[in-house]
Amino acid sequence: MEAPDLQINYKWGQSLNYSEIRDYLQRESLVTIKDFPLNDDELQSFINHLGTPLNEKRNNNGKTVFDVKITQHNNFFTSIANSNLAFPLHTDCADFNSIPNTIGLLCVEAAHEDEGTNNFMLLTDLLKHLSEIEKQKLLNKKWKFRNQERSILSSENDNHKICYDRITMQSFSKLTPIEIEELNNLDKLFRSLSFKIKLKKGDLILFRNDVMLHGRDKIDINSQRLIKRIRFDIKLPSFAMPPDFEQ
Ligand SMILES: [Fe+2]
């Protein structure tokens, strides 16, 4: 699929309007800031203006900026994010009590042209492709995400959200052959609705983690690709806003 026209581009140095950026994120746009400084403190303070960053206790000693690069320890990758493997479309922190609703990725070292490209899928595109029966099934059936039981789709005041991470779902529960086939079909559907964005050095991309899935293509094992990741929560309106809503 083509990248959607809800991609908003800014350039570092032009006066950035935080409430405007927040507003685009609330409306589920992807926001890119070109030529962002390649500096963790700058990234952290920028995100502090938009929302509340999550401290990464699991892999990152409680810091908020996480280095996504190939990292091995005793010949094992330290996480899938730190491997060279393709990462299928997923939600970050699908097994957390509270899932951060937004992610920022700052490209410090770009991958080569044919590797490590980011993939995205919008929930709005998925909803257009699901029949009412398929939608109800995804709203009702609970799956195990480590210690959490969650449905893939949820809905509050007619606002839908998605939570999906095949690797976590499959790692912590024994799925039946029918369930595996169900997930294979979903993965195939998600892929068919996804679009690619190639990050360049200095691109900071901000996107919602609760209304889109993201992933990335395989990376060369010797790649110097380095992405700084920060997860955060922006305040969301408690009701659905039409696109031309004015406050
Ligand atoms: Fe991720």
Side-chain angles (χ1 to χ4, degrees):
M1 277 183 77
E2 291 284 301
D5 48 5
L6 46 104
Q7 250 185 285
I8 313 296
N9 283 304
Y10 291 91
K11 212 169 159 53
W12 183 256
Q14 77 182 89
S15 60
L16 294 171
N17 181 331
Y18 295 110
S19 71
E20 188 180 79
I21 294 174
R22 238 187 339 257
D23 191 50
Y24 281 126
L25 289 169
Q26 285 171 347
R27 292 169 194 220
E28 305 174 12
S29 299
L30 286 93
V31 175
T32 305
I33 296 143
K34 297 260 167 205
D35 302 330
F36 196 91
L38 307 178
N39 177 303
D40 286 13
D41 293 339
E42 204 70 72
L43 177 59
Q44 167 134 17
S45 86
F46 179 79
I47 297 298
N48 284 341
H49 284 100
L50 295 176
T52 313
L54 177 89
N55 284 335
E56 306 237 13
K57 292 187 192 70
R58 199 148 68 186
N59 294 322
N60 204 33
N61 307 322
K63 288 189 289 184
T64 57
V65 176
F66 181 88
D67 286 7
V68 181
K69 61 177 181 190
I70 297 176
T71 314
Q72 285 176 307
H73 183 68
N74 296 337
N75 283 333
F76 287 102
F77 297 118
T78 50
S79 68
I80 301 164
N82 293 114
S83 77
N84 71 320
L85 306 171
F87 204 153
L89 290 157
H90 66 280
T91 307
D92 266 15
C93 311
D95 56 334
F96 284 25
N97 280 339
S98 164
I99 302 174
N101 62 25
T102 314
I103 299 174
L105 297 177
L106 170 62
C107 178
V108 174
E109 279 305 329
H112 287 127
E113 204 45 54
D114 53 351
E115 57 165 7
T117 303
N118 287 86
N119 302 306
F120 297 90
M121 187 211 71
L122 306 179
L123 174 54
T124 46
D125 288 335
L126 175 67
L127 291 173
K128 281 183 219 153
H129 279 79
L130 293 176
S131 68
E132 196 50 40
I133 294 173
E134 289 168 325
K135 198 168 110 181
Q136 288 307 323
K137 210 170 156 195
L138 293 178
L139 282 164
N140 293 328
K141 174 161 177 157
K142 298 264 198 272
W143 298 81
K144 201 151 181 247
F145 296 81
R146 203 184 293 245
N147 298 321
Q148 310 283 341
E149 296 255 325
R150 293 192 158 119
S151 53
I152 294 172
L153 290 185
S154 57
S155 160
E156 200 182 311
N157 302 331
D158 235 15
N159 284 325
H160 286 92
K161 290 190 174 178
I162 187 164
C163 177
Y164 186 77
D165 181 358
R166 172 83 188 250
I167 295 171
T168 302
M169 294 157 89
Q170 204 151 354
S171 304
F172 295 97
S173 47
K174 189 149 173 45
L175 303 177
T176 66
I178 291 173
E179 287 175 325
I180 288 173
E181 198 189 327
E182 243 176 283
L183 295 183
N184 285 345
N185 289 335
L186 272 182
D187 281 332
K188 215 186 288 172
L189 177 62
F190 295 161
R191 261 199 313 274
S192 74
L193 297 170
S194 69
F195 56 90
K196 290 183 179 295
I197 295 182
K198 186 86 199 166
L199 295 180
K200 297 200 171 69
K201 188 171 186 152
D203 285 356
L204 169 64
I205 189 164
L206 308 171
F207 57 92
R208 290 275 297 278
N209 187 39
D210 54 350
V211 289
M212 57 184 82
L213 299 180
H214 67 280
R216 62 124 203 268
D217 294 345
K218 191 173 186 294
I219 307 166
D220 186 279
I221 188 75
N222 297 313
S223 175
Q224 297 303 304
R225 180 183 188 266
L226 172 59
I227 305 287
K228 298 277 178 176
R229 180 188 73 201
I230 187 161
R231 294 156 167 169
F232 58 105
D233 272 305
I234 56 163
K235 207 166 176 320
L236 296 174
S238 50
F239 57 96
M241 284 193 295
D244 56 352
F245 179 83
E246 283 186 37
Q247 283 177 308

